[in-house]
Amino acid sequence: MSDLERRYLRLVRIFYPAGYRDARGTEIVDTYLALSSPDRRWPSVADLTDIAGGGLRQRLRAIRATGIGNGVRLAATLALLTATALAGGWAVLELNPWTTAWFGFAQHGTSVSLGIGVWAAWLLAAVVHAVAPGRWTRLAIGLALVLTVAVVPLAAIVDRSRPPLFVLLAQVCLGFVALGVPGQPPVWRRLLPVAGAAAALPVAATFARNGGDVLRAYYGWPAGQVLPGAGMALLSVTLLVAVGLAARNDLRGAWALLVLLCPIGMLRLHPLAEELAVSFYGGGPGADRATLATAAIIVAVAAATVMSAVLIIQRRVVLPPTPSTRISPRPGSTA
């Protein structure tokens, strides 16, 4: 057995459920080996992603949650729309000249925080989704996610300001869901993230012209208005889509709502942390890192609990789907 075959087998064991990999694991590995170049020693990133996606789909089939795939794709489109709209607004405020006075960046020769690179990456993802949906879009979203996480240690190393953690955390949650964007959506859906970012520009520009700055934006107005408002807008749109689809016996919207529960909760993280601070300190200080971390854990656990409960109910009440014996050229590439 070659090293490449052994590594493919290890990936199949990790991602596929036991029954399925015992029956078809060797076939899956043989297919990947046949598609690989003779000198390859490690599975490619594309193959790793493909195996992980195929294994996840088989695990969902095992618990009879086959409808969730379409819901994830719908949720991903809405998450990317929200993430890029927020990025557009933050970018305008980062470039506002008032930022210099509040952050004292004139001493460093710049008028923006490290957040500008993060928001530029998310805007780039919106453009890539419009012109090259599919793998290139997921790579652009992945790059934006890496930059969003990396800006925290980078700011500490270079001693520069960055967006607050609750802003970055909401963006990361939206980004992870956005990784599920469909490969070939219709043109109007491909343009939605760009349109969302464009719609946010005049709102942020108006705030900036009225004397608003990125410091007050990050820690003041958006903490109580914009981020929770974005969460409420995302919830409302998803509910409307879910109701409309349910009227046609289509549960994509319901699955999308379940997938988006965590990002919606993270958008309301700061107000929730403030409510926890009132409970903990009897009306004392506002949200601090401890209450923000507690609120984030509550949101994540609550979203995971609701999803798990629905999957358990789904498994018990829905008949198993008819198994398919069709083998695609690249295993795991289709639901």
Side-chain angles (χ1 to χ4, degrees), residues 41-89:
R41 297 185 58 191
W42 291 87
S44 66
V45 175
D47 287 349
L48 172 60
T49 305
D50 200 53
I51 292 173
L56 176 60
R57 282 187 285 271
Q58 292 303 326
R59 290 183 183 277
L60 290 174
R61 285 193 178 112
I63 60 174
R64 305 173 188 175
T66 53
I68 196 173
N70 291 330
V72 168
R73 287 186 280 274
L74 175 58
T77 300
L78 295 173
L80 184 58
L81 168 62
T82 306
T84 52
L86 288 171

Side-chain angles (χ1 to χ4, degrees), residues 133-165:
R135 177 176 296 182
W136 286 107
T137 296
R138 284 187 284 273
L139 286 174
I141 295 172
L143 172 62
L145 277 170
V146 169
L147 289 176
T148 306
V149 174
V151 74
V152 177
L154 180 61
I157 292 171
V158 301
D159 192 23
R160 289 279 300 280
S161 296
R162 56 163 174 79
L165 288 175

Side-chain angles (χ1 to χ4, degrees), residues 43-268:
S44 66
V45 175
D47 287 349
L48 172 60
T49 305
D50 200 53
I51 292 173
L56 176 60
R57 282 187 285 271
Q58 292 303 326
R59 290 183 183 277
L60 290 174
R61 285 193 178 112
I63 60 174
R64 305 173 188 175
T66 53
I68 196 173
N70 291 330
V72 168
R73 287 186 280 274
L74 175 58
T77 300
L78 295 173
L80 184 58
L81 168 62
T82 306
T84 52
L86 288 171
W90 296 134
V92 169
L93 293 172
E94 285 275 2
L95 296 172
N96 179 20
W98 282 73
T99 304
T100 305
W102 277 93
F103 274 108
F105 285 155
Q107 301 172 4
H108 302 283
T110 181
S111 62
V112 294
S113 80
L114 293 177
I116 190 63
V118 174
W119 311 132
W122 284 104
L123 294 176
L124 174 63
V127 174
V128 172
H129 183 57
V131 299
R135 177 176 296 182
W136 286 107
T137 296
R138 284 187 284 273
L139 286 174
I141 295 172
L143 172 62
L145 277 170
V146 169
L147 289 176
T148 306
V149 174
V151 74
V152 177
L154 180 61
I157 292 171
V158 301
D159 192 23
R160 289 279 300 280
S161 296
R162 56 163 174 79
L165 288 175
F166 68 87
V167 173
L168 296 174
L169 182 58
Q171 198 76 12
V172 167
C173 288
L174 289 168
F176 270 116
V177 175
L179 285 171
V181 288
Q184 293 296 329
V187 174
W188 68 269
R189 196 177 298 173
R190 288 159 54 180
L191 295 175
L192 277 178
V194 175
L201 298 182
V203 177
T206 300
F207 178 67
R209 277 200 307 269
N210 292 333
D213 56 86
V214 73
L215 181 63
R216 253 191 308 177
Y218 282 147
Y219 291 98
W221 184 49
Q225 299 288 335
V226 173
L227 288 181
M232 185 57 66
L234 180 57
L235 174 62
S236 300
V237 170
T238 309
L239 279 173
L240 288 173
V241 172
V243 171
L245 291 174
R248 296 183 294 178
N249 224 12
D250 187 340
L251 296 180
R252 276 180 299 166
W255 285 116
L257 180 60
L258 289 170
V259 172
L260 288 169
L261 282 179
C262 188
I264 290 171
M266 293 302 177
L267 287 166
R268 291 193 53 83

